[in-house]
Amino acid sequence: MSAATFSVTSRRLAGTIAYAALTGLVVAAVGLVPLTDYAMHILVQTASYSIAVFGLTVVLGLCGQINLAQAAFFGFGAYAVGLGTADLHLNFWIALALGAGVALVMGAFLGMTTLRLGGHYLAMVTISFQQIVTLIMVNWIPVTHGPDGVGNIRRPAMFESAHAFLGLCVLAMALVGYVVWRLPQTPLGRSMRAVRDNELAAGVAGVNVYRVKVAAFALSAALGGIGGGFFAGGFAYVSPDQFSFAESIVFITMTLLGGVASPVGALIGTALLIVLPESLRFLKSVPGLYLAIYGLSIILIIRYMPDGIWGFVQHRIKRWLAPPPFADAAAELTLAPAKADAPMVLEVTNLSKHFGGLKAVDDVSFSVRRGDVHALIGPNGSGKTTTLNVLSGIYVASAGRVMLCGRDVTLLPPHARTAAGMGRTFQNIRLFRSMTALENVIIGAEHPGNDIGSGHAALVERARAALAFVGLEARAQELVTGFSYGHQRLIEIARALAGNPTLLLLDEPAAGLNSTEKLGLRDLLKRIAAKGLTILIIDHDMTLVTEVAERITVLNFGRCIADGVAADVLRQPAVIEAYLGSEPDAPDLA
Ligand code: ADP
Ligand code: MG
């Protein structure tokens, strides 16, 4: 273990100990200090709501997916504990586990059926789900008691007293808060952040986007259920109006107000929105005003304080929280050409991609030989990027076949192709913008096809080696948004290399670079090729292409018009005409 990894571990350990000590103090305080009924009421509500808001921190804050039904999941937990303990005489914990379980399953189900739609559909489907749950609570009277609600809800035997139960709620909140606090640094949490920052790039970097989204949704729903269970225990009575759509909006507002990406923000937002309305009770006398004010605050927060209160504070203290650069040197990057048997790394056969009537890629065939640098060129709009998107699984081919090292990958999703040996960069840089250079590259390194040993230390080592290879290791711990355009391109290349691809796809890596940076890139490409990696590169810079590429495939209007050894291809009249015909400043092809 390197010194730097050790310091990260010891920082974490210190953080955990401090957290445990603080939790112990708070639990002892709420258990011992005499409190008024009113204060108890506020604190139990804050603790139980916070757990549900932590759930939104996961799904909305970390994974970027909207869930407008958190009150429904909260209701599952509350009704499970309510009906379970009052009507069925179940033990509190069993009822709580049932409620959380039902919420988890419903969350996963809702996620599975709707997450592929994304965006606005997701918002609409979660609202409909919320409404259905409310209707069932109100109308399925024999089971739910309808609008009368459920009373006589029991607590666990050891925590009958209000003080003890409050202590329990705070402890539960602290435990869940700890998990959510640590989640972003785990593989699952990192994948969630990658999906939030850039879904396409996450898939290509090896993240199973769909599974990560469903996991976030299910986890969020389960936390909603747990919060609801404690809420029911705390108040001994629940009714449908406590779990309506309006309450879902309140949950979302709490998440956004405090800061969407952190449990600290969630707690701040929750506490504020519980204490404030209590002191502004008169608002509730006008029907609808309450909801209007929440709606307005969401708009104002998103407009003026997008990172919430805690995000605002964090920006100001980040300087002290930033980890120092690594003290030791990074290891040498190894690029193992896996499965060296097949002579062809990539075989594209009769590949087509149509957008409605537009044949962006039309019956294209070519092969990339092991160890070659192979260029894909053609005028703007000739279908180069679309070809790469079909190769990497972002688009499904309209027809044709893609073989990678003799394996048919035509129908695989992006992350599975990455595991099978593809790596790529994008024409428009797609980095995970909330993360450091190191974290970006770690996500590229972390996929099942990359055999680099287990554990976080191995990932960090691999990522540092990749960053060192592109010359940016000294700045590994800096946020990617602070890097120049050219350096961001290099980080993207490092992210692809860290995944140990058999085939590297590069979409116009030289675009937007100044002449010094272009020289650096040419040198980098030569060093990558010298390691035996097979590269398929799209570029307009003919100097670069002629200098690095052994073979060239030329596209024009989606069709392959030439394919073969570089010098031969560039002499063909059709190729020269394609360039001269479409671009006034055509490159010198001689
Ligand atoms: P190149 O990378 O060679 O400049 P592209 O592959 O980006 O070209 O685009 C090829 C053609 O396909 C263009 O006419 C473009 O407008 C069209 N195209 C690309 N992506 C889409 C899409 N998602 N929907 C519809 N048309 C698209
Ligand atoms: Mg393009």
Side-chain angles (χ1 to χ4, degrees), residues 8-369:
V8 169
T9 316
S10 53
R11 279 162 71 109
R12 288 213 178 142
L13 190 64
T16 304
I17 292 171
Y19 187 89
L22 185 67
T23 305
L25 270 178
V26 174
V27 172
V30 296
L32 297 175
V33 175
L35 291 168
T36 61
D37 281 355
Y38 176 71
M40 295 279 234
H41 171 102
I42 295 278
L43 287 172
V44 168
Q45 198 183 349
T46 303
S48 54
Y49 267 54
S50 289
I51 296 175
V53 176
F54 290 158
L56 287 180
T57 301
V58 174
V59 75
L60 181 62
L62 285 185
C63 202
Q65 307 300 308
I66 189 81
N67 167 9
L68 288 168
Q70 191 66 341
F73 296 118
F74 194 69
F76 282 135
Y79 268 80
V81 165
L83 298 172
T85 60
D87 289 4
L88 303 174
H89 309 289
L90 290 178
N91 174 294
F92 174 89
W93 297 110
I94 292 176
L96 180 70
L98 279 175
V102 170
L104 180 102
V105 171
M106 291 310 293
F109 174 73
L110 200 60
M112 283 191 267
T113 50
T114 57
L115 281 172
R116 286 201 203 276
L117 301 172
H120 310 300
Y121 291 103
L122 185 56
M124 288 190 321
V125 173
T126 55
I127 292 174
S128 312
F129 177 78
Q130 167 73 56
Q131 303 292 28
I132 292 168
V133 171
T134 304
L135 282 175
I136 291 174
M137 283 176 183
V138 173
N139 294 307
W140 198 17
I141 295 171
V143 172
T144 65
H145 306 230
D148 292 344
V150 186
N152 288 324
I153 298 173
R154 306 295 305 273
R155 293 172 180 165
M158 276 175 64
F159 302 91
E160 293 279 11
S161 84
H163 255 94
F165 192 75
L166 174 60
L168 182 67
C169 286
V170 173
L171 187 63
M173 178 186 82
L175 286 177
V176 173
Y178 181 79
V179 172
V180 174
W181 180 40
R182 283 302 191 214
L183 186 61
Q185 276 76 45
T186 64
L188 178 63
R190 243 193 322 269
S191 304
M192 287 179 186
R193 289 155 69 209
V195 169
R196 175 198 61 195
D197 281 4
N198 201 315
E199 199 174 314
L200 277 187
V204 166
V207 173
N208 186 336
V209 173
Y210 178 65
R211 199 169 69 189
V212 164
K213 283 187 187 174
V214 171
F217 229 80
L219 182 57
S220 159
L223 294 186
I226 293 173
F230 281 103
F231 176 82
F235 293 91
Y237 167 76
V238 295
S239 60
D241 55 307
Q242 293 165 324
F243 313 106
S244 64
F245 175 59
E247 290 304 307
S248 276
I249 296 296
V250 172
F251 280 127
I252 292 273
T253 317
M254 288 170 166
T255 318
L256 293 175
L257 175 64
V260 69
S262 152
V264 181
L267 183 56
I268 295 173
T270 308
L272 274 180
L273 283 196
I274 286 172
V275 174
L276 281 183
E278 289 292 335
S279 43
L280 301 172
R281 248 161 207 269
F282 59 92
L283 288 179
K284 290 208 178 186
S285 57
V286 186
L289 182 59
Y290 191 50
L291 197 57
I293 288 182
Y294 277 103
L296 185 64
S297 5
I298 292 185
I299 295 172
L300 292 178
I301 296 164
I302 291 176
R303 176 66 186 80
Y304 294 105
M305 216 169 44
D307 299 319
I309 295 170
W310 180 242
F312 186 80
V313 174
Q314 260 187 326
H315 275 305
R316 270 135 200 89
I317 58 175
K318 205 176 264 160
R319 261 174 295 156
W320 295 293
L321 294 178
F326 293 104
D328 56 341
E332 164 84 14
L333 181 70
T334 51
L335 292 172
K339 300 182 238 72
D341 39 321
M344 289 299 169
V345 167
L346 181 73
E347 288 162 279
V348 178
T349 322
N350 306 115
L351 194 70
S352 294
K353 178 65 194 173
H354 301 169
F355 298 108
L358 177 77
K359 297 178 173 176
V361 177
D362 189 11
D363 202 26
V364 167
S365 302
F366 63 93
S367 296
V368 178
R369 297 188 314 180

Side-chain angles (χ1 to χ4, degrees), residues 384-385 427 507-508 538:
K384 305 181 298 295
T385 297
Q427 183 171 352
D507 194 351
E508 300 204 24
I538 298 176

Side-chain angles (χ1 to χ4, degrees), residues 479-548:
L479 283 176
V480 287
T481 41
F483 286 80
S484 69
Y485 187 82
H487 284 170
Q488 293 192 11
R489 280 221 176 271
L490 295 180
I491 295 171
E492 222 192 8
I493 294 175
R495 182 175 68 190
L497 289 177
N500 203 7
T502 313
L503 172 67
L504 181 62
L505 309 169
L506 300 169
D507 194 351
E508 300 204 24
L513 300 190
N514 64 36
S515 50
T516 323
E517 289 170 333
K518 275 188 186 167
L519 287 178
L521 177 74
R522 197 169 58 196
D523 170 61
L524 175 64
L525 291 180
K526 285 179 177 165
R527 285 193 293 127
I528 297 173
K531 288 202 169 239
L533 195 64
T534 313
I535 300 176
L536 177 64
I537 180 174
I538 298 176
D539 218 289
H540 279 306
D541 184 338
M542 279 303 146
T543 326
L544 182 75
V545 167
T546 44
E547 223 177 288
V548 299

